[in-house]
Amino acid sequence: MDEQPILIEARGAIEVVSLNRPDRLNAMNEPLIAALLDYFTALRDRLAVRVVVLRAEGRAFCAGLDLAGWPRDAEAGPVHQVWRTQRMIAAVMQAMRRCPQPVIAAAQGAACGGGFSLLLASDVRYGAPDLRMNAAYIKIGLGGCDMGASYFLPRLVGSSVASEYLLTGKFMTAEKALACGLLSEVVAHDALLDKALALAGEMLLTSPMGLRLTKDALNLNIDAGSMEHAFALEDRQQVMLSGTADTVEARAAFFEKRDAAWGDR
């Protein structure tokens, strides 16, 4: 029996999702992408899961596309086949942004092409000292902008740094990623998971709906049409959250000097 392309471990309200093709440096074949797409799409209806940690088995996070890992349709033309692959992988990044749970990525080794985009689509990123990332597409005769890189990267590191890496396909080191804010912290490989779980634990101290709506506002306001649009969204969210039972519980817990008992209500 083939190994599962991803492993899912439940730790209370946290789920740890591990890419599980270490012998292929976790390169993206169709079963891996299908599993990720199913997982992140289903999260929209699995609110008992509050935070996701995304990591990988082995010495690399994800080496990009596995060219031998996609079955050929003899009746479909090359454009149709490439289009299907493109859309399927892109849907994973979109599902990661649309799911209400924050996604904390913990990565080591190579994160190339689509692997780089998995990191970019996450909410928080930690990296081992050996992490090396690149948008490899331009190195093989394609454009440097693929799998959401031209959307995510300039918003995360600015236009100049994004252009430097997308126009060349060169590798970004963990040190450089930390300096430009793409990584929150560089952590020893064997401490990556613990670091991500610690942050996830801090997120669990917040109200469930407040956490979900914070990710929602960050997603929407990065493309807000104006400052007024951003403030209006925040105002509506705060008014709505102020009417929840969890906010009443939070106030009581504050004055009673205890942890809040969240009910997601």
Side-chain angles (χ1 to χ4, degrees), residues 125-162:
R125 289 156 295 277
Y126 292 120
D130 66 347
L131 177 62
R132 298 171 73 245
M133 302 161 281
N134 77 332
Y137 326 103
I138 203 167
K139 293 285 195 180
I140 56 172
L142 302 174
C145 300
D146 197 7
M147 299 302 155
S150 63
Y151 178 85
F152 294 124
L153 195 58
R155 287 164 170 79
L156 291 166
V157 302
S159 177
S160 180
V161 174

Side-chain angles (χ1 to χ4, degrees), residues 80-124:
H80 295 77
Q81 294 188 56
V82 174
W83 175 253
R84 177 179 176 275
T85 302
Q86 286 283 132
R87 295 311 306 158
M88 192 172 177
I89 299 174
V92 172
M93 318 306 170
Q94 293 167 332
M96 290 174 64
R97 298 311 311 152
R98 289 171 179 158
C99 73
Q101 297 85 352
V103 179
I104 304 169
Q108 74 284 351
C112 305
F116 189 22
S117 291
L118 285 175
L119 297 183
L120 298 179
S122 300
D123 296 285
V124 179

Side-chain angles (χ1 to χ4, degrees), residues 245-262:
D246 272 347
T247 296
V248 176
E249 162 63 12
R251 292 194 188 104
F254 175 80
F255 287 111
E256 294 168 13
K257 294 181 171 54
R258 60 174 175 82
D259 293 335
W262 305 119

Side-chain angles (χ1 to χ4, degrees), residues 76-239:
V79 171
H80 295 77
Q81 294 188 56
V82 174
W83 175 253
R84 177 179 176 275
T85 302
Q86 286 283 132
R87 295 311 306 158
M88 192 172 177
I89 299 174
V92 172
M93 318 306 170
Q94 293 167 332
M96 290 174 64
R97 298 311 311 152
R98 289 171 179 158
C99 73
Q101 297 85 352
V103 179
I104 304 169
Q108 74 284 351
C112 305
F116 189 22
S117 291
L118 285 175
L119 297 183
L120 298 179
S122 300
D123 296 285
V124 179
R125 289 156 295 277
Y126 292 120
D130 66 347
L131 177 62
R132 298 171 73 245
M133 302 161 281
N134 77 332
Y137 326 103
I138 203 167
K139 293 285 195 180
I140 56 172
L142 302 174
C145 300
D146 197 7
M147 299 302 155
S150 63
Y151 178 85
F152 294 124
L153 195 58
R155 287 164 170 79
L156 291 166
V157 302
S159 177
S160 180
V161 174
S163 296
E164 177 185 352
Y165 286 91
L166 295 183
L167 291 169
T168 64
K170 70 179 184 178
F171 279 95
M172 179 185 290
T173 64
E175 181 181 4
K176 174 67 174 182
L178 180 65
C180 64
L182 184 59
L183 292 181
S184 291
E185 194 170 332
V186 176
V187 184
H189 189 168
D190 59 2
L192 272 176
L193 180 56
D194 286 343
K195 185 70 178 180
L197 289 171
L199 180 62
E202 290 186 56
M203 292 179 179
L204 294 187
L205 299 177
T206 67
S207 73
M209 192 170 189
L211 187 64
R212 294 194 296 266
L213 290 187
T214 299
K215 175 170 177 173
D216 186 62
L218 283 166
N219 277 341
L220 293 171
N221 280 344
I222 200 167
D223 292 322
S226 67
M227 179 180 68
E228 286 74 17
H229 282 85
F231 274 90
L233 174 64
E234 292 177 349
D235 292 345
R236 284 162 174 76
Q237 284 195 353
Q238 298 296 60
V239 169

Side-chain angles (χ1 to χ4, degrees), residues 9-130:
E9 179 189 357
R11 300 196 181 199
I14 303 166
E15 283 192 345
V16 179
V17 180
S18 301
L19 309 184
N20 190 39
R21 302 189 71 219
D23 57 322
R24 298 288 295 172
L25 302 182
N26 297 306
M28 294 174 165
N29 65 353
E30 184 167 358
L32 174 64
I33 291 303
L36 287 173
L37 182 56
D38 287 347
Y39 176 79
F40 282 109
T41 301
L43 282 176
R44 301 186 73 174
D45 299 318
R46 300 181 61 225
L47 299 185
V49 179
R50 295 191 55 203
V51 186
V52 173
V53 174
L54 179 63
R55 60 174 300 277
E57 295 291 333
R59 61 188 177 89
F61 180 72
C62 175
L65 186 66
D66 184 346
L67 295 176
W70 295 80
R72 296 289 181 179
D73 182 349
E75 297 183 2
V79 171
H80 295 77
Q81 294 188 56
V82 174
W83 175 253
R84 177 179 176 275
T85 302
Q86 286 283 132
R87 295 311 306 158
M88 192 172 177
I89 299 174
V92 172
M93 318 306 170
Q94 293 167 332
M96 290 174 64
R97 298 311 311 152
R98 289 171 179 158
C99 73
Q101 297 85 352
V103 179
I104 304 169
Q108 74 284 351
C112 305
F116 189 22
S117 291
L118 285 175
L119 297 183
L120 298 179
S122 300
D123 296 285
V124 179
R125 289 156 295 277
Y126 292 120
D130 66 347

